Amino acid sequence: MLRRGRNSLSGAKLERFPARKRRCWADTATSVPSRHGAVKSEDNFKSSQFHLDLWFYFTLQNWVLDFGRPIAMIILPLEWFPLNKPSAGDYFHMAYNVITPFLLLKLIERSPKTLPRSMVYVSIIMFVMGASIHLVGDSVNHRLIFSGYQHHLSVRENPIIKNLKPETLIDSFELLYYYDEYLGHSMWYIPFFLILFIYFTGCFTPVEDESRMPVAALLLMGPSSLYYWYLVTEGQIFILYIFTFFAMMALVMHQKRKGLVLDSNGLFLFYSFIITLVLIAVWVIWLWNDKILRKKYPGVIYIPEPWAFYTLHMNNLHAGKESL
């Protein structure tokens, strides 16, 4: 007859404890490592379906609330949103700052593996802070368009800025531009891509049948990739994007040696980044010989902003049509 351990409880004695204590005792008993070592729950791969709802909402709100911000501000009548009040684009930005971190958290929750929570929470906090800083700077900078500000020129080269008196006001506008284009973008986009990469690390499975994308994912890949192209070019974050992409490639190669493949969500994210790289290359080749944009974006990495292209070419085209 086997002798019972000191920590074991008979069925009759166990029934005397409340249900909550019985559950706690059972959870503790199952977590005790065996003679051969404990098995971590993170090592058990669970089946993962394509998150069509989250990816669709994520892509839709990116297009409407991020890309649509300046468009709404330009199209809607100026009388509805005076220059000394928040514009329609600002309200779009406010909604983006709330909805995007919520969707990112829901995406992390859907991961089949347990991910580092502390890093996710810190990234979300930095994301919200950076996007909020960008909200203020971007709001003022886009309002300046109605006063003749040209995005394809630097702050000091803009006609409406270089004639300001006293000249210390120019420093204030350069500080505003720094908060908008550098600090705001860094605190916004670095956590954004970090969260996507953290989620990507959990998108691997040993089951090859799960490494297939449904038709809905293929249809959603085009709009998703096109938005990432806008995000990288307008945000001037190509280095951050390409390092994230290389990290994804290295992780895929490393996991492949273990016999693991990307699931449908990982494939969707990975292929979207590949198509984004192709779109960026086409964009750079098309504007390679633009001397004015070359002057604003000197250096080895030449990736013009779409809105700089708009104020340089499309805005002048619209002005010419109105004069006719």
Side-chain angles (χ1 to χ4, degrees):
M1 182 180 295
L2 296 177
R3 183 176 298 176
R4 299 187 182 186
R6 295 180 179 179
N7 295 331
S8 63
L9 293 176
S10 63
K13 292 182 179 181
L14 186 60
E15 290 296 332
R16 299 177 184 176
F17 290 91
R20 184 176 62 181
K21 291 187 177 180
R22 292 202 306 270
R23 287 195 300 268
C24 294
W25 182 88
D27 294 339
T28 305
T30 55
S31 62
V32 176
S34 64
R35 200 183 319 179
H36 303 286
V39 178
K40 297 181 180 180
S41 60
E42 289 83 357
D43 296 334
N44 297 328
F45 292 90
K46 302 177 182 178
S47 60
S48 176
Q49 296 181 349
F50 183 70
H51 309 317
L52 177 60
D53 54 343
L54 283 181
W55 288 121
F56 174 76
Y57 295 143
F58 192 65
T59 304
L60 179 64
Q61 68 93 29
N62 282 336
W63 273 101
V64 174
L65 300 180
D66 192 13
F67 181 78
R69 287 186 294 108
I71 297 178
M73 185 194 68
I74 294 175
I75 293 179
L76 295 178
L78 188 61
E79 295 77 14
W80 295 2
F81 305 95
L83 293 179
N84 60 345
K85 301 293 181 180
S87 67
D90 297 336
Y91 293 113
F92 279 31
H93 207 321
M94 295 176 193
Y96 175 89
N97 293 0
V98 175
I99 297 176
T100 302
F102 174 76
L103 292 177
L104 289 174
L105 286 174
K106 298 300 291 184
L107 193 64
I108 292 294
E109 291 178 2
R110 296 275 187 94
S111 175
K113 293 191 66 176
T114 302
L115 302 176
R117 300 283 180 141
S118 298
M119 185 177 294
V120 171
Y121 292 154
V122 172
S123 300
I124 290 293
I125 293 172
M126 288 186 60
F127 173 88
V128 174
M129 184 176 179
S132 300
I133 292 175
H134 180 267
L135 165 62
V136 178
D138 193 66
S139 174
V140 176
N141 283 334
H142 277 94
R143 288 302 202 171
L144 292 175
I145 294 179
F146 294 100
S147 301
Y149 188 85
Q150 303 176 37
H151 277 289
H152 62 278
L153 299 176
S154 65
V155 175
R156 291 189 177 272
E157 291 178 347
N158 262 270
I160 67 170
I161 299 295
K162 64 182 181 182
N163 295 325
L164 289 176
K165 300 296 180 181
E167 293 185 359
T168 53
L169 287 175
I170 302 179
D171 297 331
S172 299
F173 276 98
E174 284 188 328
L175 176 62
L176 178 67
Y177 185 83
Y178 170 79
Y179 274 110
D180 178 17
E181 295 294 327
Y182 294 99
L183 184 61
H185 282 185
S186 298
M187 295 185 65
W188 177 4
Y189 294 131
I190 292 177
F192 178 81
F193 280 93
L194 180 59
I195 293 173
L196 289 181
F197 180 75
I198 292 175
Y199 171 79
F200 185 78
T201 59
C203 294
F204 290 89
T205 176
V207 184
E208 294 186 1
D209 291 341
E210 295 181 3
S211 185
R212 298 176 182 176
M213 287 192 300
V215 178
L218 297 175
L219 296 177
L220 197 59
M221 191 181 300
S224 177
S225 304
L226 192 58
Y227 171 75
Y228 287 133
W229 162 84
Y230 169 77
L231 194 69
V232 173
T233 54
E234 185 65 28
Q236 294 293 287
I237 53 170
F238 178 77
I239 295 180
L240 174 61
Y241 155 78
I242 201 66
F243 269 97
T244 305
F245 178 63
F246 286 159
M248 287 181 173
M249 290 183 60
L251 184 61
V252 170
M253 296 174 63
H254 176 71
Q255 296 288 57
K256 188 176 182 180
R257 296 174 183 175
K258 297 181 178 180
L260 303 177
V261 293
L262 284 171
D263 62 10
S264 57
N265 296 285
L267 287 174
F268 174 78
L269 193 58
F270 189 61
Y271 288 159
S272 295
F273 271 53
I274 293 177
I275 298 176
T276 299
L277 185 60
V278 175
L279 293 175
I280 294 173
V282 172
W283 173 256
V284 171
I285 293 173
W286 182 41
L287 299 176
W288 186 260
N289 295 322
D290 195 306
K291 296 181 179 180
I292 298 178
L293 293 178
R294 272 281 185 179
K295 183 178 180 182
K296 183 177 181 179
Y297 305 97
V300 178
I301 300 178
Y302 168 69
I303 302 179
E305 300 176 58
W307 280 106
F309 171 80
Y310 171 81
T311 58
L312 175 61
H313 297 290
M314 305 302 295
N315 199 27
N316 295 335
L317 182 60
H318 291 165
K321 291 182 178 179
E322 291 177 359
S323 62
L324 294 177

